[in-house]
Every structure is written in structure tokens, then in C-alpha cells.
Amino acid sequence: MPVISPVPAARPARIPSQRDGADDTVAAGTTVDHLTETYRTHYRSLLGLAALLLDDTASCEDVVQEAFIRVHSARKRVRDPEKTLAYLRQTVVNLSRSALRRRILGLKLLSKPMPDMASAEEGAYDQLERDSLIKAMKGLQRRQREVLVLRYFADMTEAQVAEALGISLGSVKAYGSRGIAALRVAMEAAA
């Protein structure tokens, strides 16, 4: 199998000092001045390109700024300064794609809210109802309150309530009926 040897990279042209004075040869790659001028001239057009790919202004500005930072750090690799704008455009497109990918992934990873989850307003309303129910329950006679709590909150049958309280089944029904009627009146008055 043949061995492939890497081609040595071309050496950048020598930057003459002012003492040499003979030649105005510029080093290979984009200069900081050229990149600054490109920034001033094409910032809005690159922002518009990002706006076509992304939906919010802040993300567009971030993408364009990041593109300039990346091209600035790799400016020595841009052999032809005239291609700086093309590099910037491609970097803006690539960074926009990455931003969209991150958003899609974030949306997939977000936990979905439970469909029967109550809103904060519903929770507050339920708390108010509970408070008025407790207040109305405290206004009942002791036996009525005991029967209703055992029957509806402890989920006991009428026979179990009668046995627990040591009263007849008919008394459980009477206390329960009168207690519910008194609760209805108290809750309507509170509303």
C-alpha cells in the first residue's frame, strides 16, 4: 500500500517592514483592517441572511457576531481577501443551522406538561373553595360533621359510619341529609 505524505503548507509571504520600503507585498490571508471594513460594510446584509434562517433578532445578531469572531480567528487561512465575505456568509449559514438544531433538540427534550394539570388560577380557586368548605364544615353540628367526614372523606358506607359512631343507620342518613343541606346553604352564602 502506498504511503501518502502530506503536502507541506505554502509559507505566507513575508510582511515587509517600513525599513525595507521597496515592496508593498501583503501577507497571505485576510488582514484585520480588511475584516473590519467587511464588518462595517456587510454587517446588515449578513444580519438579513441570518434573519431568513432564524426567527428572532437576538439569535441573528449572535450568529453574525460569532461568524465574525470565527473568521477573524481563522483569517490567515483565507488566502484570497476577496473571499472573506463568502467565508462569512457560509459561517452565518452554518451557525444558523446549528442554532436551529439546538432548538429542535431542546424542544424534544422539554418535558411535556400533563394534560390534566391544573393552572395556577385553578389551584388558587380550588384552595379558596377548600377553605370555604372547611369553614362551612366547622359551622355544622358535631354529629353532622362526623357523619359527613366519615361518609364522604373517609369513603365509608352508611353501615360502617353507624358502627363507628355507635348510632343507628337511620340516624346516619338523617344527620347526613341535614348536614349536606346546611353545607349547601353555607357555601351559597359564602359565594
Side-chain angles (χ1 to χ4, degrees):
M1 182 169 240
V3 177
I4 300 173
S5 62
V7 177
R11 297 175 57 152
R14 184 171 86 69
I15 300 175
S17 64
Q18 287 186 349
R19 282 180 255 139
D20 293 343
D23 197 5
D24 285 340
T25 306
V26 178
T30 302
T31 63
V32 175
D33 291 337
H34 179 69
L35 192 59
T36 304
E37 188 57 38
T38 305
Y39 176 83
R40 285 187 188 131
T41 308
H42 297 284
Y43 177 77
R44 288 200 181 274
S45 67
L46 291 170
L47 198 60
L49 175 64
L52 293 172
L53 300 170
L54 298 171
D55 55 353
D56 63 306
T57 307
S59 295
C60 296
E61 290 172 349
D62 290 345
V63 162
V64 173
Q65 291 294 328
E66 182 66 24
F68 274 104
I69 290 169
R70 288 188 182 191
V71 171
H72 180 271
S73 64
R75 67 185 180 278
K76 296 294 181 192
R77 290 187 298 197
V78 181
R79 300 262 177 216
D80 185 4
E82 299 303 315
K83 293 185 179 178
T84 303
L85 183 58
Y87 278 100
L88 282 167
R89 284 183 183 138
Q90 189 61 49
T91 306
V92 166
V93 170
N94 290 343
L95 289 172
S96 297
R97 285 180 187 159
S98 295
L100 289 174
R101 262 187 248 118
R102 279 191 306 273
R103 283 185 195 170
I104 290 169
L105 182 62
L107 290 174
K108 285 180 182 177
L109 295 178
L110 279 178
S111 63
K112 303 288 187 230
M114 299 297 288
D116 58 348
M117 185 181 279
S119 68
E121 292 85 12
E122 289 175 20
Y125 183 73
D126 289 345
Q127 182 65 40
L128 288 173
E129 269 190 347
R130 253 190 314 277
D131 291 345
S132 18
L133 177 64
I134 290 171
K135 185 178 178 184
M137 288 287 287
K138 288 180 180 178
L140 295 177
Q141 295 175 3
R142 181 180 57 86
R143 278 289 184 197
Q144 290 174 345
R145 185 172 50 248
E146 290 171 350
V147 167
L148 291 178
V149 167
L150 291 175
R151 178 77 176 102
Y152 296 104
F153 293 101
D155 205 24
M156 296 175 132
T157 64
E158 289 174 336
Q160 290 171 331
V161 173
E163 185 181 331
L165 294 177
I167 56 176
S168 69
L169 188 60
S171 296
V172 169
K173 291 180 182 182
Y175 284 125
S177 175
R178 289 183 198 131
I180 288 176
L183 270 180
R184 186 174 291 123
V185 169
M187 293 296 285
E188 287 175 359

